[in-house]
Amino acid sequence: MTTALVVRIDNNVVGRLWLDERKNFCFSYDSTWLERFRIPLSLSLPLRTEPYLDDQSHSFFANLLPEEKMRTLIARNLGVSFNNDYGLLERIGGDCAGAVSLHPETEETLPQSASYRALSLDELNTIIKELPQRPLLAGEKGLRLSLAGAQKKLPIYYDGQQYHLGYGTAPSNYIIKPAIDDLPGTVENEAYCMALARAVGLNVPPSFIHQHEDLQVFVVKRFDREVAGDAIRRLHQEDFCQALNVPPEFKYETEGGPSLSACFNLLRANSTSSGKDVLSLVNWVLFNYLIGNSDSHGKNISLLLLSEGPRLAPFYDLLSTRVYAPYGLAEGLAMKIGGESDPHAIRRKHWELFAEEVGIKPKLVLTRLKDLSQRIVTARLPLFKGEFEQFRCDTLYRLMELIAGQCADSIKQIA
Ligand SMILES: Nc1ncnc2c1ncn2[C@@H]1O[C@H](COP(=O)(O)OP(=O)(O)O)[C@@H](O)[C@H]1O
Ligand SMILES: [Mg+2]
């Protein structure tokens, strides 16, 4: 008999997750949470007293876990079966994306201690270099970190000068993403695309490249944290797969994952500032197209579930995947644009169709595409020659060319 897991949001009990006798997930909200807090764990799990069975609850929790190679390694390190979502949540669900934590019910109270251990830059390099063997430091005493995504990463506390590992309930406030093996220049690529997004007015968290000796990593500030006096508060977030009850293994539209119209409908129906958020989401679609990011699936876009209601979260995981076509990376779009999944085939008519599908005036989408292309054309080189001068590499040169081509082509299509 497995023990139930207590589900908390920022240390308040939301409910319980358990396995029934057939090993299916069951989740039930706590009565105090229903009375006092009134934030749903997920838009796919509206507040109610009856328990949710596997078909409605499993996806939300499965989407909290790391994916692919990371998952394999963590499962192996912890001695948990690869397919055992519940077992993995039990072991690493202590600090998930946003504010969610899961702890076995038998642990009477949460670990009350919160402490940080400052790391020297050499120590940080050692930890980062060990991540391929020990993703998210799984197995390290006092650490139970889980972040979705397929790539190596490390949640960290950064005070502007020094990096620290957080123990117990101590929250991280940044995420470190090391280079992806087998694909050159991913750190420079992501840092440049995020900086470009900021330069053209998209809502992205601050990010930078940290370099020490032979190691370069991408560092991004967490948008699911809020400074409250001396403390850091965790903000609840969920990705679009969670909100739409889609399991992580079906995140691509071709597999049955979220389409752009499903994302827009979700946002329109739930955001407390839907007009503004819908336009931001249009910008996200256009920007990903213009930088050649084909991997913008339903787990790479999130909502913040705040006490005031849901809002579109700032953007993350923006990097050009199409620069890696020579390395065999799939070029097909994670979500079709106007029914087309081949980015080379996108024309004006696809944007018009996209606009209709997501309930926006075609003229607005075309004007935005042209405007964003022009802003990118203006910002592209100064950024490359400015703060990215020291990080120039083959990938960035190819990226500059790809972006210039995409923008010129889009401007021409619309003229
Ligand atoms: N800046 C951020 N603030 C808060 N959460 C983030 C941030 N960046 C990423 N995340 C969370 O971590 C998960 C994995 O990050 P992502 O950059 O998508 O990694 P990967 O490249 O492995 O897909 C995201 O799905 C999101 O939930
Ligand atoms: Mg991702």
Side-chain angles (χ1 to χ4, degrees):
M1 177 75 189
T2 44
T3 28
L5 299 177
V6 180
V7 183
R8 290 180 175 86
I9 287 183
D10 203 24
N11 297 346
N12 294 300
V13 175
V14 179
R16 283 169 81 243
L17 176 69
W18 71 97
L19 290 178
D20 68 11
E21 61 287 356
R22 307 184 70 177
K23 306 288 179 219
N24 289 320
F25 275 40
C26 303
F27 169 75
S28 180
Y29 279 107
D30 182 82
S31 55
T32 312
W33 181 267
L34 289 175
E35 283 157 27
R36 282 186 44 205
F37 292 96
R38 311 222 42 89
I39 298 178
L41 185 60
S42 167
L43 295 180
S44 63
L45 297 165
L47 296 166
R48 72 175 199 197
T49 43
E50 312 101 88
Y52 281 100
L53 302 181
D54 199 271
D55 58 337
Q56 273 177 286
S57 64
H58 198 134
S59 292
F60 174 81
F61 292 103
N63 270 302
L64 296 171
L65 291 165
E67 300 158 76
E68 301 172 31
K69 218 157 70 181
M70 291 303 106
R71 182 182 169 111
T72 313
L73 281 165
I74 290 173
R76 205 184 323 159
N77 286 1
L78 297 174
V80 175
S81 305
F82 175 81
N83 288 321
N84 184 356
D85 287 339
Y86 194 89
L88 286 170
L89 287 164
E90 192 172 6
R91 297 294 298 279
I92 62 166
D95 194 0
C96 302
V100 174
S101 67
L102 294 100
H103 291 94
E105 205 169 36
T106 42
E107 283 175 20
E108 297 259 295
T109 48
L110 265 182
Q112 284 308 315
S113 61
S115 60
Y116 291 107
R117 181 164 76 82
L119 301 170
S120 70
L121 293 180
D122 285 345
E123 248 182 309
L124 181 65
N125 269 20
T126 308
I127 290 176
I128 293 168
K129 285 179 181 169
E130 282 177 359
L131 283 179
Q133 287 80 46
R134 266 191 337 145
L136 291 162
L137 299 180
E140 164 108 3
K141 204 169 172 311
L143 286 180
R144 293 163 73 162
L145 312 168
S146 182
L147 274 180
Q151 303 308 330
K152 297 179 288 252
K153 54 186 81 67
L154 180 69
I156 201 95
Y157 178 76
Y158 178 58
D159 61 13
Q161 281 167 348
Q162 235 184 334
Y163 295 91
H164 308 250
L165 273 187
Y167 291 85
T169 56
S172 58
N173 61 348
Y174 279 76
I175 297 172
I176 292 182
K177 292 178 75 175
I180 301 178
D181 305 328
D182 313 326
L183 297 177
T186 55
V187 166
E188 295 87 338
N189 184 346
E190 188 161 358
Y192 181 83
C193 291
M194 291 286 279
L196 185 64
R198 190 173 318 111
V200 298
L202 269 69
N203 183 13
V204 287
S207 63
F208 56 92
I209 295 177
H210 164 77
Q211 183 162 16
H212 178 58
E213 292 181 344
D214 58 336
L215 199 68
Q216 266 184 3
V217 292
F218 172 69
V219 187
V220 63
K221 191 169 184 187
R222 297 190 71 141
F223 54 75
D224 53 357
R225 299 291 182 259
E226 190 179 63
V227 179
D230 288 346
I232 300 176
R233 217 163 64 83
R234 293 173 165 92
L235 303 176
H236 183 31
Q237 65 158 320
E238 69 168 339
D239 65 45
F240 275 48
C241 283
Q242 290 176 302
L244 292 163
N245 191 18
V246 175
E249 59 274 25
F250 297 114
K251 66 188 175 198
Y252 293 105
E253 186 182 353
T254 49
E255 303 165 323
S259 62
L260 284 173
S261 54
C263 294
F264 277 85
N265 288 342
L266 177 83
L267 195 62
R268 202 173 266 121
N270 291 285
S271 167
T272 52
S273 199
S274 79
K276 211 168 158 197
D277 281 354
V278 162
L279 291 180
S280 294
L281 194 61
V282 172
N283 278 351
W284 178 75
V285 176
L286 298 175
F287 185 80
N288 280 323
Y289 168 74
L290 292 169
I291 63 164
N293 178 16
S294 293
D295 205 35
S296 43
H297 49 68
K299 292 189 66 56
N300 277 337
I301 181 90
S302 287
L303 293 157
L304 283 169
L305 302 185
L306 308 167
S307 47
E308 314 85 85
R311 286 299 307 268
L312 185 64
F315 303 130
Y316 56 90
D317 212 4
L318 302 176
L319 82 166
S320 177
T321 57
R322 283 182 52 203
V323 289
Y324 300 118
Y327 294 82
L329 212 62
E331 284 199 83
L333 299 169
M335 296 188 207
K336 289 181 192 163
I337 295 174
E340 180 57 67
S341 59
D342 176 3
H344 300 281
I346 303 285
R347 301 283 177 273
R348 181 187 173 119
K349 67 172 184 198
H350 298 104
W351 289 115
E352 287 166 344
L353 205 55
F354 154 74
E356 275 169 39
E357 278 167 6
V358 303
I360 298 171
K361 287 199 179 79
K363 192 158 173 250
L364 188 147
V365 170
L366 295 175
T367 313
R368 285 208 158 222
L369 178 59
K370 192 171 168 191
D371 178 55
L372 193 61
S373 302
Q374 279 162 343
R375 273 188 281 154
I376 290 176
V377 168
T378 310
R380 187 186 69 107
L381 262 184
L383 194 61
F384 185 63
K385 290 185 174 165
E387 66 184 274
F388 280 84
E389 182 168 22
Q390 52 173 322
F391 299 118
R392 287 181 189 185
C393 57
D394 276 1
T395 301
L396 274 195
Y397 280 110
R398 274 188 287 124
L399 177 60
M400 295 300 291
E401 222 171 279
L402 184 146
I403 291 176
Q406 287 289 101
C407 290
D409 188 55
S410 298
I411 293 168
K412 206 164 71 199
Q413 295 268 344
I414 288 152

